[in-house]
């Protein structure tokens, strides 16, 4: 991945300090990416229907040559009715991307769709909330592709007087495809749900306070001087949106020697994720760029990349006390496969 493209995608993930984007796709020769901010459907209601928010057409891609695809969907909540006492006012906000040589469909299965990203739309009227996704799309055949960023709004109470309004323009709502092949890059997903709790007795499905998710051994390209890594890990309070969940998340990148042990000090980034009950769903996106590929000290070009999660606490009281926290695997294991948590490793060549 070039330094220009890496910087562009790093800015995308932070969702700040992006250059102004055109109203339609840009594809100038030599540009690091093609993008659009032209919103096609500006209001989503509580009926949980998927709508095309943004689309890019005319992408000429080659079989097996992966590209990075990025999308962000920002919205504000609109409320046109009086809230009753005890009423649930949160709204689900969800996004994902699909690409196809024909007309893209919202229901395509992974790997022809990105991971899902969702959160319950907490906050009062006018409060901005965003969901984003990064995807390594590998075309299954040569062709001219279209890609669509989908948006969904949903609510516990179905009402035409409750809705999400899309916030237009960069950096709020963007669909972007890099113009450079990601040679030797890889994406993988979490294959099953993982429940975390302090004690196994807290919940039937919970067996441990710690877990390793999204683990993969990956080999850097022979010409790579450094690598970039990313994870998007989806968490839930697993309490029906009532009680909070707090966990520590450590992103670890370890270069190995011939014995499969660390040959240099691992690169780590640690974050604490706190999910209030009203949010219920929340994705933690983290990226580390420019990790050196060491050639001395017995190092091979093999890396272990993983995410370690540790239970901290859930609410000890309330309507659902001590419920476990959840790290999301796929929504379904059969088509249409829809993963939540994914990770990506990329080479920086030259």
């Amino acid at each position: 991945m070039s330094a220009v493209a890496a910087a562009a995608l790093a800015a995308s993930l932070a969702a700040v300090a992006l250059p102004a984007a055109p109203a339609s796709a840009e594809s100038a020769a030599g540009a690091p990416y093609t993008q659009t901010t032209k919103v096609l459907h500006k209001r989503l209601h509580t009926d949980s229907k998927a709508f095309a928010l943004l689309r890019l057409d005319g992408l000429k891609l080659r079989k097996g040559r992966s590209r990075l695809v990025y999308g962000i969907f920002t919205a504000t909540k609109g409320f046109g009715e009086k809230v009753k006492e005890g009423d649930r006012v949160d709204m689900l906000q969800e996004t994902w991307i699909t690409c196809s040589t024909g007309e893209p469909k919202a229901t395509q299965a992974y790997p022809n769709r990105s991971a899902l990203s969702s959160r319950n739309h907490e906050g009062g009227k006018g409060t901005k909330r965003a969901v984003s996704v990064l995807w390594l799309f590998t075309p299954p055949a040569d062709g001219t592709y279209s890609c669509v960023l989908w948006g969904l709004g949903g609510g516990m109470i179905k009402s035409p007087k409750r809705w999400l309004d899309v916030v237009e323009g960069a950096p709020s709502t963007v669909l972007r495809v890099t113009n450079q092949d990601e040679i030797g890059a890889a994406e993988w997903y979490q294959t099953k749900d993982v429940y975390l709790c302090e004690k196994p007795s807290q919940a039937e499905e919970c067996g441990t306070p710690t877990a390793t998710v999204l683990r993969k051994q990956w080999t850097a390209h022979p010409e790579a001087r450094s690598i970039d890594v990313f994870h998007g890990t989806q968490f839930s309070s697993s309490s029906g949106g009532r009680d909070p969940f707090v966990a520590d998340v450590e992103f670890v990148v370890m270069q190995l020697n011939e014995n499969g042990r660390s040959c240099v000090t691992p690169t780590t980034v640690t974050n604490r994720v706190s999910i209030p009950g009203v949010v219920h769903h929340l994705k933690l996106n983290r990226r580390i760029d420019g990790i050196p590929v060491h050639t001395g000290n017995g190092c091979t070009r093999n890396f272990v990349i993983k995410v370690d999660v540790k239970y901290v606490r859930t609410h000890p009281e309330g309507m659902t006390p001590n419920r476990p926290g959840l790290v999301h695997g796929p929504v379904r294991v059969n088509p249409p496969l829809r993963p939540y948590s994914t990770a990506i490793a990329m080479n920086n060549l030259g």
Side-chain angles (χ1 to χ4, degrees), residues 71 91-96 114-122 130-134 152 188-196 211-214 230-238 245-249 273-276 278-286 307-310 324-331 338-343:
M91 288 179 63
L92 180 68
Q93 180 183 350
E94 191 165 69
T95 198
W96 65 98
S114 73
L116 291 164
S117 290
S118 66
R119 69 187 298 164
N120 271 23
H121 197 79
E122 73 283 7
V131 285
S132 64
V133 63
L134 185 67
L152 180 149
W188 59 101
Y189 68 93
Q190 185 179 318
T191 58
K192 62 180 181 179
D193 290 344
V194 173
Y195 291 88
L196 301 172
T212 296
V213 300
L214 291 170
F230 164 84
H231 81 87
T233 307
Q234 183 84 22
F235 292 87
S236 172
S237 63
S238 188
F245 166 55
V246 181
D248 286 335
V249 184
V273 57
S274 181
I275 306 174
V278 70
V279 179
H280 188 40
H281 297 287
L282 189 66
K283 176 162 280 191
L284 176 66
N285 292 321
R286 287 294 176 265
V307 177
D308 292 328
V309 291
K310 180 181 179 181
L326 172 63
V327 188
H328 277 291
V331 178
R338 297 172 290 172
Y340 266 119
S341 300
T342 58

Side-chain angles (χ1 to χ4, degrees), residues 22-40:
S24 59
E26 61 173 22
S27 56
Y33 50 78
T34 299
Q35 75 172 24
T36 182
T37 60
K38 185 178 180 180
V39 174
L40 305 174

Side-chain angles (χ1 to χ4, degrees), residues 16 23 31 40 90 172 174-175 243 258 262 269 273 277 313 348-349:
V16 296
L40 305 174
D90 53 303
S172 297
V174 178
L175 175 60
D243 298 329
E258 291 184 354
S262 178
V269 172
V273 57
R313 63 178 176 272
N348 293 315
L349 305 181

Side-chain angles (χ1 to χ4, degrees), residues 53-332:
L53 299 181
L54 303 171
R55 70 179 292 149
L56 284 170
D57 295 305
L59 300 168
K60 297 185 182 301
L61 305 179
R62 301 289 300 277
K63 178 181 179 180
R65 296 188 179 183
S66 303
R67 297 288 184 91
L68 277 178
V69 187
Y70 166 76
I72 184 169
F73 161 36
T74 303
T76 59
K77 182 170 64 177
F79 242 72
E81 63 184 2
K82 185 177 181 180
V83 178
K84 300 177 182 178
E85 185 176 354
D87 203 351
R88 293 288 295 276
V89 298
D90 53 303
M91 288 179 63
L92 180 68
Q93 180 183 350
E94 191 165 69
T95 198
W96 65 98
I97 304 166
T98 64
C99 294
S100 176
T101 53
E103 182 62 23
K105 298 178 181 179
T107 55
Q108 289 173 207
Y110 186 83
N112 290 318
R113 71 181 295 152
S114 73
L116 291 164
S117 290
S118 66
R119 69 187 298 164
N120 271 23
H121 197 79
E122 73 283 7
K125 181 178 180 180
T127 302
K128 291 183 182 180
R129 294 290 181 264
V131 285
S132 64
V133 63
L134 185 67
W135 177 31
L136 184 71
F137 174 55
T138 303
D142 292 356
T144 301
Y145 284 76
S146 296
C147 295
V148 170
L149 176 71
W150 301 91
L152 180 149
M156 295 292 293
I157 296 175
K158 310 302 180 186
S159 170
K161 297 182 179 180
R162 303 180 182 203
W163 60 85
L164 301 179
D165 282 326
V166 180
V167 179
E168 298 186 71
S172 297
T173 303
V174 178
L175 175 60
R176 176 175 295 167
V177 179
T178 56
N179 291 335
Q180 177 177 301
D181 297 338
E182 292 296 333
I183 299 171
E187 177 174 301
W188 59 101
Y189 68 93
Q190 185 179 318
T191 58
K192 62 180 181 179
D193 290 344
V194 173
Y195 291 88
L196 301 172
C197 57
E198 186 175 19
K199 301 176 182 178
S201 60
Q202 281 182 246
E204 181 179 346
E205 61 268 70
C206 182
T208 177
T210 62
T212 296
V213 300
L214 291 170
R215 185 186 189 279
K216 184 178 181 64
Q217 183 168 318
W218 172 78
T219 302
H221 190 276
E223 298 178 12
R225 296 183 179 181
S226 65
I227 65 171
D228 302 337
V229 294
F230 164 84
H231 81 87
T233 307
Q234 183 84 22
F235 292 87
S236 172
S237 63
S238 188
S239 65
R242 298 185 184 278
D243 298 329
F245 166 55
V246 181
D248 286 335
V249 184
E250 187 173 57
F251 194 18
V252 182
V253 183
M254 182 186 307
Q255 191 172 355
L256 306 178
N257 60 24
E258 291 184 354
N259 296 321
R261 297 183 178 181
S262 178
C263 65
V264 292
T265 302
T267 299
T268 62
V269 172
T270 303
N271 297 97
R272 175 161 289 187
V273 57
S274 181
I275 306 174
V278 70
V279 179
H280 188 40
H281 297 287
L282 189 66
K283 176 162 280 191
L284 176 66
N285 292 321
R286 287 294 176 265
R287 178 166 172 160
I288 311 173
D289 286 345
I291 301 171
V293 178
H294 295 276
T295 57
N297 204 33
C299 291
T300 68
R301 303 186 77 82
N302 298 326
F303 287 80
V304 165
I305 302 163
K306 63 178 182 174
V307 177
D308 292 328
V309 291
K310 180 181 179 181
Y311 170 94
V312 176
R313 63 178 176 272
T314 50
H315 202 281
E317 301 175 349
M319 299 186 69
T320 54
N322 293 321
R323 286 287 295 162
L326 172 63
V327 188
H328 277 291
V331 178
R332 290 180 61 181

